[in-house]
Amino acid sequence: AAPVLLSVLIPMAVVTTALASTAPPLAAALLGLIGHLDHLLWWLGGAGRAWNPAVAPVPVVAIGALVFAGWVAMLRWRGARWAVLAWAVVWLAVPTAQIVGSGPGPERVEVLPVGDGTAILVSSGAEAFLLDGGRSEHQAHSLLLAQGVRTLEAVVVSHGDADHLGGVPSVLARHRVRRLVIPQWMASEPAAVPMLRVARARGVTVHHMARGAHMDMGAISMSCYWPPATAPPEAENDRSLVARVDLPSGSLLVTGDISVAAERRICRTAHLATTVLIAPHHGSKTSSSAAFLDATDPEVVLIPAG
């Protein structure tokens, strides 16, 4: 339907623009018609927007098998029909294997290798959530698919910097995400508008978190230590979401890009001991003070630094 309607809409738009200065009433009538056709196009596209499948990368071996079987099938010999059958089997086997083998798998905390920024996958059995999405629009999405993760219990965004927020809209659009968790102050930030628009279109529940909030997500629970609900720090990095994520075998402390000043305030108000610490601000020298490391006392420190 799109090519047919666009082949009418585009010339009409050109004609309407040309008539705007010489025949305004006619241009206005054409503009109204264009509006109706545009609404029709949007309505017809509803099915496509509702069904937006996440497809993992196809293995090189499978691509080679498809090319070879397709080439053999086009040769004039008796075995061509078997080559056609082999091509169809491979074509169906790849998505079937991806669906059967999908899922977050065993409990883990993994810093995804995004080129710039932070993207951390946390999973326990059937539950998984993503903390931040890196800078690239599609990198976190592709890395999740490569690991067979299609459903996320939650996507957690620490703050509005592009190297944490950039990949989140694509993850929300292409994966089944149950909830989006953001700091309370972020709901009114212009940088968050594209992400919130995608979440609303996909039916993702948005949760606003501030100090003292708690959330259960199956085997995973999250307690928010920072920022406060009222009068958060002016510096955006120091307004980052700081939360403890409890898993069956340990805990994870996520810290965003907080500096030493925020670390001092958090240490005075929360019990921070954790199994795994995500180093604040990518391991920057402005963070991870001795007092903060003593308070968190981690067994493992992960540094998301490209």
Side-chain angles (χ1 to χ4, degrees), residues 21-132:
S21 59
T22 58
L26 180 57
L30 287 173
L31 191 60
L33 182 57
I34 288 173
H36 291 303
L37 291 174
D38 182 61
H39 287 306
L40 176 61
L41 181 62
W42 186 255
W43 178 79
L44 289 170
R49 291 191 301 276
W51 185 70
N52 195 2
V55 181
V58 179
V60 175
V61 174
I63 294 174
L66 286 169
V67 171
F68 179 75
W71 174 72
V72 173
M74 289 187 292
L75 299 178
R76 293 185 177 181
W77 67 301
R78 289 184 178 180
R81 67 186 65 182
W82 296 107
V84 172
L85 179 61
W87 188 93
V89 168
V90 174
W91 191 85
L92 292 171
V94 171
T96 301
Q98 290 176 348
I99 293 170
V100 171
S102 66
E107 186 173 302
R108 71 181 187 268
V109 177
E110 180 178 354
V111 177
L112 298 179
V114 293
D116 183 26
T118 298
I120 298 164
L121 175 65
V122 181
S123 63
S124 178
E127 283 83 32
F129 82 82
L130 180 71
L131 169 68
D132 291 331

Side-chain angles (χ1 to χ4, degrees), residues 224-238:
C224 183
Y225 295 156
W226 191 259
T230 58
E234 291 187 7
E236 181 158 329
N237 282 348
D238 281 347

Side-chain angles (χ1 to χ4, degrees), residues 5 132 142 247 260:
L5 286 172
D132 291 331
S142 298
L247 303 162
V260 172

Side-chain angles (χ1 to χ4, degrees), residues 253-285:
L253 189 70
V254 297
T255 56
D257 283 350
I258 60 170
S259 68
V260 172
E263 289 177 359
R264 291 196 194 101
R265 294 180 63 180
I266 298 167
C267 286
R268 291 196 296 264
T269 60
H271 175 67
L272 299 175
T274 186
T275 312
V276 179
L277 171 67
I278 306 299
H281 207 176
H282 317 279
S284 169
K285 65 181 180 180

Side-chain angles (χ1 to χ4, degrees), residues 190-235:
V193 170
M195 172 186 69
L196 295 174
R197 186 177 293 140
V198 174
R200 184 169 63 249
R202 296 282 290 166
V204 179
T205 304
V206 180
H207 294 269
H208 304 142
M209 293 203 85
R211 184 171 57 193
H214 181 83
M215 179 179 298
D216 288 315
M217 297 175 284
I220 302 172
S221 64
M222 184 167 66
S223 301
C224 183
Y225 295 156
W226 191 259
T230 58
E234 291 187 7

Side-chain angles (χ1 to χ4, degrees), residues 131-194:
L131 169 68
D132 291 331
R135 185 183 299 274
S136 168
E137 183 179 355
H138 297 295
Q139 205 166 21
H141 156 67
S142 298
L143 290 167
L144 289 172
L145 289 181
Q147 298 199 24
V149 178
R150 289 172 171 75
T151 299
L152 291 165
E153 191 67 33
V155 172
V156 181
V157 179
S158 62
H159 63 301
D161 280 1
D163 61 336
H164 293 251
L165 184 63
V168 173
S170 180
V171 171
L172 294 174
R174 301 300 303 277
H175 292 259
R176 293 185 293 273
V177 180
R178 292 190 173 90
R179 64 192 88 188
L180 172 65
V181 181
I182 61 175
Q184 185 168 311
W185 60 266
M186 197 175 177
S188 58
E189 287 293 300
V193 170

